Amino acid sequence: MLIKRPFMIASSEITPRPVYLRRRDFLRRAVALGLLGGSYTGSWGQVPAGRTLTAKASALSTREKATAYEHASGYVNFYEFGTDKGDPPVYAPKMKTRPWSVMIDGEVKRKGPLDIEDLLKLAPMEERIYRLRCVEAWSMVIPWVGFSFAELVKRVEPTSRAKYVAFTTRMDPESMVGLNLPVLNWPYSEGLRLDEAMHPLTLLAFGMYGQTLPNQNGAPVRIVVPWKYGFKSAKSIVKITFTEHQPNTAWNDAAAREYGFYSNVNPEVDHPRWSQATERRIGEDGFFTPKRKTLMFNGYADQVAGLYTGMDLKKNF
Ligand SMILES: Nc1nc2c(c(=O)[nH]1)N[C@H]1C(S)=C(S)[C@@H](COP(=O)(O)O)O[C@H]1N2
Ligand SMILES: [Mo]
């Protein structure tokens, strides 16, 4: 029989949820006040003290155990900072995230730059614990902090012609050592259909693990689309463009056969070079652990399958 070591047991498993959340709130405030000496160890492992983001727990959260902070912030894809998973934690901290503004443009009534400080105050923050499934067949569970992207969309008023939204990542040659590599056509860009972008699960994230995002995870603002492969969730966003036609996206431009526009997590559609049927949970599943089955739409089928009725998901992969 498998014996759980104490650190593998989520506190949510041994404590009733409301108590668990209150305790976490205490831990967060304690961190903010410096009571715990700069960091705390809990169910998330060591989390360094940062700028705390107060958020209320969301009913959209999974009850699965969150990945340790160490892995979520240390095992990252952010190719602008290098293609190795360990590169972004080394180089990204050099990127300045203030001042920062996000340009709103295209088919929208309220165009123009939005300052990050105003964006942060746009709607109440929620903590959303989501599964994240990378196209490379690994997954994590991350407690994000942010609000539904729909909150922003409502306020900027897209025109009737807007059918898609495109996200563009910052290009900072000083810190982004990966911009010299010809892997992608920089800047990194991604896109969603407007109804996907407006889905309540689509999150505009400013933080994770109760604090502002570490740069390597997309500070100061990123998108998180939990039912799609991770690469759809663009980091460190500087531009949001509403368009009439399907926008080009960085990964689709680089290898159209491998990365479709939709990129919904789908165990039935393999990547041309590997299976998408299973995944390995980072920080939990060892090399010899049987692989976990990947779920349709990353387990969010009940909420999102309706967006794709009538579509051939093998063609629109
Ligand atoms: N700008 C930018 N955004 C990006 C990437 C990237 O290389 N550049 N990588 C993507 C990929 S492949 C994944 S799996 C997720 C990982 O997010 P995380 O590191 O915060 O878990 O970010 C996505 N967003
Ligand atoms: Mo990914």
Side-chain angles (χ1 to χ4, degrees), residues 180-191:
N180 299 318
L181 308 169
V183 230
L184 294 172
N185 242 331
W186 313 108
Y188 194 97
S189 62
E190 259 307 335

Side-chain angles (χ1 to χ4, degrees), residues 249-278:
T249 62
W251 279 106
N252 187 247
D253 286 349
R257 249 172 41 81
E258 305 194 3
Y259 311 104
F261 177 79
Y262 282 92
S263 292
N264 290 316
V265 173
N266 188 342
E268 290 159 25
V269 178
D270 286 339
H271 183 278
R273 292 182 280 138
W274 61 81
S275 163
Q276 293 291 24
T278 60

Side-chain angles (χ1 to χ4, degrees), residues 37-55:
S39 69
Y40 74 83
T41 307
S43 58
W44 297 335
Q46 278 267 318
V47 180
R51 182 171 152 201
T52 307
L53 283 179
T54 315

Side-chain angles (χ1 to χ4, degrees), residues 60-62 64 130-133 201 226-228 264-267 279 281 293-305:
L60 294 169
S61 290
T62 167
E64 276 179 279
Y130 283 166
R131 280 179 293 278
L132 180 139
R133 171 60 159 79
L201 281 171
W227 70 94
K228 293 179 183 276
N264 290 316
V265 173
N266 188 342
E279 67 199 54
R281 184 65 51 84
K293 279 211 162 80
T294 289
L295 301 173
M296 190 67 197
F297 297 113
N298 200 22
Y300 297 95
D302 287 350
Q303 291 105 304
V304 303

Side-chain angles (χ1 to χ4, degrees), residues 193 195-196 199 227 303-309 311:
R193 225 169 51 192
D195 58 341
E196 298 179 311
H199 191 283
W227 70 94
Q303 291 105 304
V304 303
L307 292 169
Y308 309 103
T309 31
M311 277 180 73

Side-chain angles (χ1 to χ4, degrees), residues 15-293:
T15 317
R17 188 156 171 88
V19 177
Y20 157 68
L21 291 170
R22 251 182 281 127
R23 193 169 67 84
R24 267 199 349 218
D25 280 342
F26 162 74
L27 281 172
R28 248 176 246 163
R29 257 176 261 125
V31 167
L33 296 167
L35 295 177
L36 300 177
S39 69
Y40 74 83
T41 307
S43 58
W44 297 335
Q46 278 267 318
V47 180
R51 182 171 152 201
T52 307
L53 283 179
T54 315
K56 72 177 208 300
S58 164
L60 294 169
S61 290
T62 167
R63 305 288 303 261
E64 276 179 279
K65 177 172 116 58
T67 300
Y69 176 88
E70 176 201 349
H71 298 299
S73 63
Y75 187 88
V76 257
N77 278 331
F78 199 158
Y79 275 23
E80 287 88 330
F81 295 105
T83 53
D84 197 276
K85 304 271 186 290
D87 288 337
V90 172
Y91 299 107
K94 291 188 195 119
M95 177 175 72
K96 290 205 176 70
T97 58
R98 291 294 187 284
W100 192 283
S101 74
V102 180
M103 181 57 86
I104 307 292
D105 72 0
E107 289 295 341
V108 67
K109 288 183 194 138
R110 296 171 182 273
K111 279 188 230 233
L114 246 174
D115 191 82
I116 188 68
E117 302 298 346
D118 296 327
L119 196 52
L120 274 158
K121 284 181 237 144
L122 205 74
M125 292 285 172
E126 289 177 29
E127 180 175 87
R128 301 262 189 94
I129 308 174
Y130 283 166
R131 280 179 293 278
L132 180 139
R133 171 60 159 79
C134 179
V135 75
E136 298 163 320
W138 50 263
S139 63
M140 295 192 192
V141 175
I142 299 185
W144 302 109
V145 181
F147 46 75
S148 288
F149 180 66
E151 297 288 341
L152 171 64
V153 178
K154 278 186 265 169
R155 286 163 175 87
V156 298
E157 299 179 53
T159 72
S160 60
R161 276 194 296 273
K163 297 285 180 300
Y164 295 88
V165 191
F167 304 93
T168 309
T169 294
R170 166 112 183 256
M171 281 218 275
D172 176 37
E174 301 246 316
S175 59
M176 292 175 160
V177 293
L179 294 177
N180 299 318
L181 308 169
V183 230
L184 294 172
N185 242 331
W186 313 108
Y188 194 97
S189 62
E190 259 307 335
L192 297 169
R193 225 169 51 192
L194 187 57
D195 58 341
E196 298 179 311
M198 294 287 286
H199 191 283
L201 281 171
T202 302
L203 189 73
L204 193 63
F206 303 89
M208 65 184 214
Y209 298 80
Q211 300 177 8
T212 53
L213 288 166
N215 286 0
Q216 63 265 35
N217 293 91
V221 61
R222 66 175 292 171
I223 200 90
V224 179
V225 195
W227 70 94
K228 293 179 183 276
Y229 292 119
F231 69 86
K232 294 297 287 183
S233 298
K235 295 175 170 180
S236 305
I237 294 169
V238 289
K239 193 165 71 170
I240 299 176
T241 316
F242 292 79
T243 65
E244 185 174 358
H245 304 289
Q246 186 176 302
N248 280 16
T249 62
W251 279 106
N252 187 247
D253 286 349
R257 249 172 41 81
E258 305 194 3
Y259 311 104
F261 177 79
Y262 282 92
S263 292
N264 290 316
V265 173
N266 188 342
E268 290 159 25
V269 178
D270 286 339
H271 183 278
R273 292 182 280 138
W274 61 81
S275 163
Q276 293 291 24
T278 60
E279 67 199 54
R280 191 167 64 87
R281 184 65 51 84
I282 299 299
E284 292 179 47
D285 300 348
F287 193 76
F288 297 108
T289 313
K291 293 264 177 80
R292 295 170 194 237
K293 279 211 162 80

